[in-house]
Amino acid sequence: MEGKVSRASRKLEASPIQELSQLAQTCGAINLAEGFPDFPAPPHLKAAALSAITADFNQYRHVQGICHLLATQMKGRHGIAVNALSDFVICCGQSEAFAASIFAIVDPGDEVLLFDPAYETYESCILLAGGIPVYVPLSPPDWSFKKDELMKYFTSRTKALVLNSPHNPTGKVFTRDELETISEACKIMECFAITDEVYEYITYDRELHISLASLPGMQERTIITSSLSKTFSVTGWRIGWACAPANIASAIRNIHVKITDSAPAPFQEAALTALQSPPDYYCSLRTEYEARRDYVVQILSVLGFQVRFKPKGSVFIFAELPDHCELSDIEFVKKLIEKAGVAAVPGCGFFHTTPQPQDGEKYQRRYIRFAFCKSGETLSAARQKMEQCVNEDGQLSF
Amino acid sequence: MILSSPFTASGAHHYEMPLSLRSFTSLNRALLSSSSPSSLLLRGSSLVPTMAASSTTTVSSTDAAPQLNQSTPSPPPVQVAKRLEKFKTTIFTQMSSLAIKHNAINLGQGFPNFDGPDFVKDAAIEAIKAGKNQYARGYGVPDLNSAIASRFQKDTGLIVDPEKEVTVTSGCTEAIAATILGLVNPGDEVVLFAPFYDSYEAVLSMAGANIKCITLRPPDFAVPLEQLKSVVSANTKAIMINTPHNPTGKMFTREELEFIAQLCKENDVLVFTDEVYDKLSFEMDHISMASLPGMFYRTVTLNSLGKTFSLTGWKIGWAVAPPHLTWGVRQAHSFLTFATSTPMQFAAATALQTSDSYYEELKRDYLAKKAILVEGLEAVGFVVYPSSGTYFVVVDHTPFGFENDVAFCEHLIEEVGVVAIPTSVFYLNPEEGKNLVRFTFCKDEATLRGAVERMKHKLRKR
């Protein structure tokens, strides 16, 4: 009966992140693998959720106020004018917003461009919709791409380009220059852009997140997806959204209604509170995450990792294994879990392209992703544990 | 044109669009796109005040901030995916706007106007306070998987492995989507019974399935066994069953289920069964297909928290299936929503562990509500078909002289002030449903009595 599984889902494999996560649990390892906080969600948000449950906001709902607040934010931060009544679809997390967007625009045989390395879920959604993922490699160490080469990846079958910025796993924040190159290509080829902006409020060193849709000629062809999860440390609440021109939003909404129909009602209410957080909230968010970033970059450097690219955004560091290390990323992570009791994610799961000659053959097996959306205690404990496994040069060695 | 009745061409009741809706139309076609009976009416309610003040122009992207280049090329042509061509539209939104305008009593929406039990809400509150606000394990919080397995065992006698055979999803809607997308290939034949909950057809279209539809007909909506047999073959991938059945309230009998089971075993066919109303079974015992001999290994059983515990907005659902089928469901699920609302999962585990007295009281309450509605509808003059389960009743409206269900429902809203749902949208061929409308009794008793009174006073046979 294995034959009963659909062809599309058979192409999909079990997530390597989740498997190693299970090993980490068995070993009681400190979890710097998965990208969710181990510190509490903001109290004002939790209170709002509790009120909503008590006040009986528990049936199917669409909370229109969320759309108005988001529209105001988009205008204020990015200069994008959207219609709160027609341009939003509230979904169960950015995950669902992305899946619904893909199903709304991708026909079997359509090509969708992705930058590599990439969060593993994008490809799976595209495949499920019968689309063909096409990867544009970002070259280490700074994860840049050649502007004049970007056009090579577009064909007459390209339906959309996916842009995740700030970027998981590298922490890259696409610059205005890069966004202009991407936008020119999209306009020439008349294709969509789908953005994943979940880390939009988590940027460092005064780097600002620029929304691709704010560039000339892009709003009409861009689907923005984002969520509360990372900004408000409520990854388990499943409140996200897609924002697109009305006719596209309508298509996305049609799909969403058939996939889940409604995001959890009480958390939609709480989202109203979240989205009215004062500027202070976003400032502290950035400041606190920046401190964590700096701490972890420093530890990893001391332990011998090569951090040649300091993340400008997101909650991840994509660190290269120490020079002398002969293990692959997966072997290293296994040892890290078993011997040091710390879990991280091997980078190979994020890569989908054949390495270019100028980048060297092996780099795709030499990166480890560490998440630093963890409390100070957790990060400190992780450092202490890793320090137990260093060699005489003070470098992590198994 | 989206807002016109599909039956206008036959010279029947002509629907003149009210002025307020005309501006609504030109403002925003996007809103008229959802056909889900469950979510629309609240959506409508939050929009109307704003609409009245709105201009008739659509906000265009070039009206926006100065930094946008004014000589940008025109927007790309609408390149939505072909799978959306089969998505039905707007009758429900039309109804909901009318309902609000006329202050109608809403017996159309399929969700309660009363809330869930305190002990479940308290459990969710405790979970939020205790910090259970981050990603849950993709296929479900272990406590909930176990609670689902235990409940399933109590209900069916089957022992299932919570780790390998239970998957938690964002509502049963997502469980249906994950099951179909995970297990159905483009071109696969899938048998559906009409009338059907509207997401089945839409998701089957998304999966590229070849739908074979069998119509259930009044008065008892019995399965036409010989017709079913003629349609099932070695090419059939799956049969979709919804029991207790929305909208008719029919419950599949043991004989019908055994007949279907036999066909499935002979032709190696899967069964997807949507059992969200299983605790609202009144006139007979609910039977799960999975419990029939030899059927567990080819059945995906779908259910949810929402209807049983009056918490439809929490979106906690699940699929129970043998490991080789669960694999497909989990794959699709992990890319549709990745994980399900964490605090609600903990609360759902508490809910499912409640004693049988909760379910007995639930049934008693609903039976009382049903009696109010059914007696009222009969007194008013409808032909009321017996509903064995769910909180729905379908009735024949033709004694009142309207050509079709949409026309009747519009009249019911405008002249009587009560909302019902035209059932033609639940059929592949709308003609088959034009004599029927669906009422719900998941409302408090005052609301039900109020609706019955309005109908008694204002609904006249022609």
Side-chain angles (χ1 to χ4, degrees):
Chain A
M1 275 209 127
E2 273 65 38
K4 293 296 179 180
V5 173
S6 75
R7 278 193 291 274
S9 83
R10 244 184 281 160
K11 284 188 221 165
L12 311 174
E13 281 143 14
S15 156
I17 293 185
Q18 289 188 331
E19 280 172 2
L20 280 171
S21 192
Q22 274 156 22
L23 174 63
Q25 261 194 335
T26 320
C27 295
I30 296 179
N31 195 329
L32 301 190
E34 292 202 26
F36 55 82
D38 63 355
F39 46 80
H44 69 295
L45 230 70
K46 292 199 289 193
L50 302 188
S51 298
I53 293 172
T54 310
D56 296 346
F57 287 106
N58 296 308
Q59 310 309 325
Y60 295 125
R61 266 182 108 62
H62 162 81
V63 176
Q64 181 59 28
I66 294 176
C67 308
H68 289 280
L69 290 168
L70 288 173
T72 306
Q73 283 188 355
M74 283 182 183
K75 189 78 208 280
R77 290 173 69 221
H78 302 297
I80 303 170
V82 299
N83 184 330
L85 293 180
S86 63
D87 295 358
F88 286 94
V89 186
I90 300 171
C91 297
C92 292
Q94 182 272 346
S95 300
E96 200 219 333
F98 185 85
S101 300
I102 290 286
F103 274 104
I105 65 170
V106 173
D107 275 312
D110 282 350
E111 291 176 4
V112 180
L113 261 51
L114 298 148
F115 289 101
D116 203 43
Y119 177 56
E120 56 183 10
T121 300
Y122 305 141
E123 170 175 282
S124 309
C125 287
I126 295 165
L127 290 174
L128 217 50
I132 301 168
V134 173
Y135 285 95
V136 179
L138 300 173
S139 295
D142 62 350
W143 312 109
S144 54
F145 63 96
K146 292 230 172 41
K147 293 172 192 192
D148 43 2
E149 295 203 347
L150 178 62
M151 282 299 293
K152 277 191 336 192
Y153 293 92
F154 287 82
T155 72
S156 58
R157 285 185 304 279
T158 307
K159 195 61 162 297
L161 174 149
V162 173
L163 178 67
N164 170 218
S165 182
H167 186 246
N168 171 10
T170 64
K172 170 190 176 61
V173 172
F174 284 69
T175 62
R176 183 168 285 284
D177 252 1
E178 289 170 322
L179 295 178
E180 278 170 3
T181 304
I182 293 168
S183 71
E184 286 313 306
C186 287
K187 285 187 288 191
I188 292 168
M189 299 307 296
E190 290 197 354
C191 69
F192 287 104
I194 305 179
T195 68
D196 172 359
E197 305 185 23
V198 292
Y199 301 103
E200 57 185 311
Y201 286 101
I202 303 176
T203 56
Y204 310 116
D205 304 331
R206 297 171 183 277
E207 188 88 22
L208 280 184
H209 165 67
I210 304 167
S211 196
L212 182 64
S214 65
L215 269 68
M218 288 309 287
Q219 187 177 351
E220 58 241 33
R221 62 182 72 254
T222 304
I223 301 170
I224 300 172
T225 70
S226 193
S227 77
L228 288 189
S229 295
K230 308 303 197 289
T231 309
F232 296 98
S233 309
V234 286
T235 58
W237 282 15
R238 319 315 291 138
I239 299 291
W241 51 85
C243 178
N247 54 1
I248 306 300
S250 163
I252 298 171
R253 191 177 302 111
N254 272 339
I255 302 281
H256 153 69
V257 158
K258 304 310 179 195
I259 297 182
T260 67
D261 190 31
S262 166
F267 298 135
Q268 287 192 56
E269 277 306 303
L272 296 174
T273 300
L275 294 171
Q276 291 174 87
S277 295
D280 278 354
Y281 173 80
Y282 299 97
C283 273
S284 334
L285 182 77
R286 224 182 344 264
T287 315
E288 283 166 17
Y289 268 125
E290 189 159 334
R292 289 178 170 90
R293 176 203 65 165
D294 291 344
Y295 182 66
V296 178
V297 164
Q298 206 224 356
I299 303 170
L300 292 179
S301 305
V302 163
L303 287 169
F305 287 93
Q306 304 178 69
V307 184
R308 292 189 283 161
F309 178 76
K310 210 169 163 192
K312 297 287 194 191
S314 88
V315 298
F316 303 112
I317 291 170
F318 209 42
E320 198 181 344
L321 289 172
D323 242 339
H324 66 262
C325 182
E326 285 170 3
L327 299 174
S328 73
D329 53 353
I330 293 184
E331 289 161 351
F332 188 91
V333 168
K334 264 188 134 176
K335 292 267 188 253
L336 192 65
I337 295 173
E338 288 163 351
K339 303 251 187 291
V342 173
V345 181
C348 57
F350 298 99
F351 290 105
H352 304 83
T353 52
T354 321
Q356 321 232 59
Q358 68 269 24
D359 294 333
E361 282 192 353
K362 296 204 195 137
Y363 78 89
Q364 296 184 356
R365 304 305 311 267
R366 294 195 49 78
Y367 280 86
I368 312 274
R369 188 194 77 175
F370 287 89
F372 52 86
C373 46
K374 309 289 171 187
S375 71
E377 291 79 28
T378 303
L379 296 177
S380 180
R383 187 202 73 204
Q384 283 166 16
K385 290 197 140 189
M386 288 192 284
E387 280 171 354
Q388 309 283 323
C389 300
V390 299
N391 59 18
E392 57 278 354
D393 294 326
Q395 300 206 332
L396 200 51
S397 186
F398 300 115
Chain B
M1 170 41 187
I2 290 177
L3 281 190
S4 55
S5 159
F7 300 99
T8 320
S10 64
H13 175 86
H14 174 69
Y15 175 52
E16 181 65 43
M17 200 189 315
L19 210 52
S20 63
L21 279 184
R22 277 184 225 152
S23 56
F24 173 33
T25 312
S26 60
L27 178 68
N28 237 316
R29 298 181 71 233
L31 289 166
L32 308 180
S33 60
S34 173
S35 63
S36 162
S38 52
S39 60
L40 295 165
L41 294 165
L42 270 181
R43 193 175 294 159
S45 70
S46 63
L47 289 169
V48 166
T50 330
M51 279 190 286
S54 298
S55 74
T56 54
T57 53
T58 321
V59 171
S60 123
S61 56
T62 54
D63 291 342
Q67 55 261 47
L68 289 181
N69 187 345
Q70 288 303 310
S71 63
T72 51
S74 54
V78 178
Q79 299 167 56
V80 296
K82 298 191 180 68
R83 63 178 61 82
L84 281 152
E85 283 163 13
K86 299 234 180 94
F87 277 49
K88 299 233 183 80
T89 55
T90 66
I91 281 295
F92 292 103
T93 325
Q94 184 181 337
M95 295 290 145
S96 49
S97 311
L98 269 186
I100 287 144
K101 183 176 180 237
H102 293 274
N103 219 14
I105 296 180
N106 205 321
L107 301 191
Q109 308 158 315
F111 54 89
N113 68 348
F114 47 84
D115 207 39
D118 283 340
F119 79 96
V120 183
K121 296 196 312 191
D122 288 344
I125 288 170
E126 283 318 303
I128 292 170
K129 283 185 182 166
K132 303 207 186 326
N133 300 305
Q134 308 309 328
Y135 290 126
R137 186 178 65 174
Y139 58 93
V141 161
D143 279 356
L144 179 55
N145 288 51
S146 294
I148 292 168
S150 294
R151 189 70 238 172
F152 191 73
Q153 183 181 352
K154 275 200 201 144
D155 291 337
T156 64
L158 293 166
I159 298 179
V160 296
D161 182 339
E163 296 303 292
K164 300 198 178 123
E165 299 178 315
V166 175
T167 304
V168 176
T169 56
S170 290
C172 190
T173 303
E174 199 218 330
I176 293 164
T179 298
I180 292 173
L181 291 169
L183 298 174
V184 175
N185 286 311
D188 278 353
E189 286 181 14
V190 176
V191 175
L192 259 195
F193 293 100
F196 43 73
Y197 175 60
D198 63 347
S199 86
Y200 304 160
E201 190 210 346
V203 183
L204 285 168
S205 300
M206 275 169 68
N210 185 354
I211 297 175
K212 301 277 188 205
C213 195
I214 305 266
T215 303
L216 306 177
R217 300 183 193 282
D220 57 359
F221 302 100
V223 176
L225 299 175
E226 289 313 304
Q227 191 192 351
L228 177 62
K229 188 168 180 177
S230 71
V231 146
V232 174
S233 71
N235 290 331
T236 308
K237 181 60 170 282
I239 300 179
M240 286 208 62
I241 296 176
N242 171 215
T243 180
H245 183 247
N246 172 10
T248 66
K250 168 206 173 42
M251 292 178 63
F252 282 61
T253 63
R254 184 166 290 280
E255 293 67 36
E256 288 170 330
L257 292 173
E258 280 172 351
F259 188 89
I260 295 170
Q262 188 56 27
L263 284 177
C264 288
K265 285 184 278 195
E266 282 166 3
N267 294 280
D268 195 18
V269 176
L270 300 180
V271 177
F272 305 154
T273 124
D274 172 357
E275 304 187 0
V276 289
Y277 299 102
D278 67 339
K279 296 293 177 284
L280 297 179
S281 50
F282 305 121
E283 309 304 328
M284 53 179 270
D285 285 339
H286 170 76
I287 304 166
S288 279
M289 178 62 100
S291 66
L292 269 62
M295 288 309 290
F296 178 74
Y297 289 101
R298 56 179 70 255
T299 303
V300 182
T301 307
L302 308 161
N303 211 327
S304 78
L305 190 75
K307 313 299 198 281
T308 310
F309 289 92
S310 309
L311 294 163
T312 58
W314 281 20
K315 310 305 293 164
I316 300 291
W318 54 86
V320 179
H324 63 279
L325 298 181
T326 291
W327 164 255
V329 175
R330 283 187 184 176
Q331 286 308 302
H333 158 66
S334 62
F335 306 113
L336 288 175
T337 63
F338 183 68
T340 307
S341 161
T342 309
M344 281 26 182
Q345 287 194 58
F346 281 94
T350 300
L352 288 175
Q353 283 154 15
T354 191
S355 71
D356 287 347
S357 61
Y358 171 82
Y359 302 105
E360 284 153 22
E361 202 183 314
L362 183 78
K363 269 198 209 178
R364 273 200 301 274
D365 283 347
Y366 270 120
L367 274 167
K369 295 178 195 315
K370 181 173 171 185
I372 295 171
L373 181 67
V374 169
E375 280 158 22
L377 293 172
E378 284 172 345
V380 167
F382 289 99
V383 175
V384 180
Y385 294 112
S387 159
S388 305
T390 77
Y391 41 51
F392 301 114
V393 162
V394 291
V395 304
D396 186 320
H397 64 79
T398 54
F400 301 98
F402 290 87
E403 180 73 10
N404 61 64
D405 53 338
V406 175
F408 175 77
C409 285
E410 285 163 4
H411 172 82
L412 195 65
I413 294 175
E414 290 169 343
E415 304 303 330
V416 181
V418 174
V419 188
I421 292 293
T423 59
S424 51
V425 292
F426 295 119
Y427 292 80
L428 277 188
N429 175 5
E431 277 291 307
E432 289 184 332
K434 69 176 187 170
N435 292 343
L436 302 175
V437 296
R438 184 194 80 178
F439 285 93
T440 173
F441 51 90
C442 52
K443 307 292 168 189
D444 61 72
E445 295 189 5
T447 302
L448 294 168
R449 289 187 208 284
V452 166
E453 281 313 295
R454 286 189 183 186
M455 288 190 280
K456 279 182 176 161
H457 285 123
K458 299 194 195 167
L459 192 54
R460 295 278 166 258
K461 289 191 189 177
R462 291 193 184 171

